[in-house]
Amino acid sequence: MIAVVYSGSHIADWRLSNKGKTIASFKTSSINPQFNDEKHILQLLNKNINLIHHAEEVKRVYFFSAGASTAELKDLISKSMSAFFKFAKISVEHDMLAAAIACCKNSKGIVCICGSGSNAAWYDGKKLKPNNYGLGYILADEGSANWLGRQLIKAFMNETLPENLKKKFEHRYDADRKTILEKVYRLRQPALFLSSFTDFYTENHADPYIKNKIKQGFELLIDTYLLPLQNEYPGTPVHFTGSIAAIFQEELRETTAAAGIGVGNIIREPINNLLTYYSNKN
């Protein structure tokens, strides 16, 4: 049996499979080594009945996390998984590689994540080319749910949000300046709070202000990540994963077309493609 896991900022998506047959499909809280220690991860694993029931049957774990960006952070997850899956070989990689495999399998391509956060990289069919992207929700994440959340609450608190949207925001969230600032600066994982405003964008998708803000985010993402990669690898289609790319495909295709970028696959959740890929390898 294999376990394939894709852990984003909000949730971890799990698939347990045996000889190509899915045994269990479920979600847990996110597992991110930048925020969670070994004790927390083990506690989370030990609370899930699916994992408890199949732990000794799992012989291989393929784990991908947004926070697994260094050898030390990968090792933290690997130790936790090894302590729980006692008979399994553990593989821990960054979520960019998961996106690349889900979109390209063994083919070359430019891959972009645009969900809770954002990132992009060149994939040669086996591995990612290192770059200086992926600076997180404070320094980067252009065009992502985090970025959109920041723009919305800044506009609300600076009183530049159009009146109709301001009223909807106040009714929807019943939040004042003090409460918002506390959640941004005092919560343990403020990125989760920032990305929680995606629903407001989807509910008001037809509003010109909202549509323009979404396009602005994509334009910034394109300028920051995709145009430099396309200049280095001209004519290569760009593949996307993530909720924001999938939900707002219309705006994404408009902005990429205006920038002369061809779009390949757009996959909201990589987990099923990852499961197929690794099921065929075992």
Side-chain angles (χ1 to χ4, degrees), residues 78-79 101 108 124 128 179 183 189 196 223 230 247 263:
S78 184
K79 287 179 179 178
I101 292 171
K108 299 177 181 179
D124 68 4
L128 299 168
T179 302
K183 289 185 177 181
Q189 296 187 45
S196 69
D223 291 343
Q230 279 246 306
I247 293 169
V263 174

Side-chain angles (χ1 to χ4, degrees), residues 108-254:
K108 299 177 181 179
I110 295 171
V111 182
C112 179
I113 293 175
C114 190
S116 296
S118 64
N119 201 350
W122 165 257
Y123 177 64
D124 68 4
K126 293 183 178 179
K127 58 185 179 180
L128 299 168
K129 181 179 179 181
N131 59 44
N132 295 320
Y133 302 153
L135 300 179
Y137 74 97
I138 293 176
L139 298 177
D141 278 356
E142 293 86 352
S144 69
N146 295 331
W147 185 89
L148 290 170
R150 290 201 303 271
Q151 308 315 304
L152 182 65
I153 61 177
K154 280 166 59 178
F156 173 72
M157 292 193 295
N158 291 336
E159 298 185 353
T160 59
L161 197 63
E163 189 63 26
N164 65 313
L165 293 174
K166 179 184 176 183
K167 290 179 179 178
K168 289 182 179 180
F169 185 95
E170 290 172 333
H171 178 73
R172 177 79 160 75
Y173 297 106
D174 189 28
D176 56 24
R177 182 184 182 90
K178 180 176 180 292
T179 302
I180 291 173
L181 289 175
E182 284 182 350
K183 289 185 177 181
V184 170
Y185 291 107
R186 300 187 68 178
L187 283 181
R188 187 166 180 266
Q189 296 187 45
L192 299 182
F193 172 67
L194 293 172
S195 62
S196 69
F197 293 97
T198 300
D199 287 346
F200 190 86
Y201 281 87
T202 57
E203 291 165 6
N204 298 282
H205 187 203
D207 188 280
Y209 178 92
I210 293 294
K211 291 182 77 71
N212 185 56
K213 192 60 64 177
I214 294 167
K215 283 188 175 182
Q216 284 180 11
F218 285 145
E219 288 166 358
L220 191 57
L221 180 145
I222 290 166
D223 291 343
T224 305
Y225 305 134
L226 302 184
L227 289 181
L229 287 170
Q230 279 246 306
N231 288 337
E232 194 170 355
Y233 305 99
T236 306
V238 179
H239 307 284
F240 291 86
T241 67
S243 57
I244 299 301
I247 293 169
F248 303 118
Q249 286 192 42
E250 179 183 345
E251 289 80 7
L252 178 61
R253 292 186 184 278
E254 288 176 3

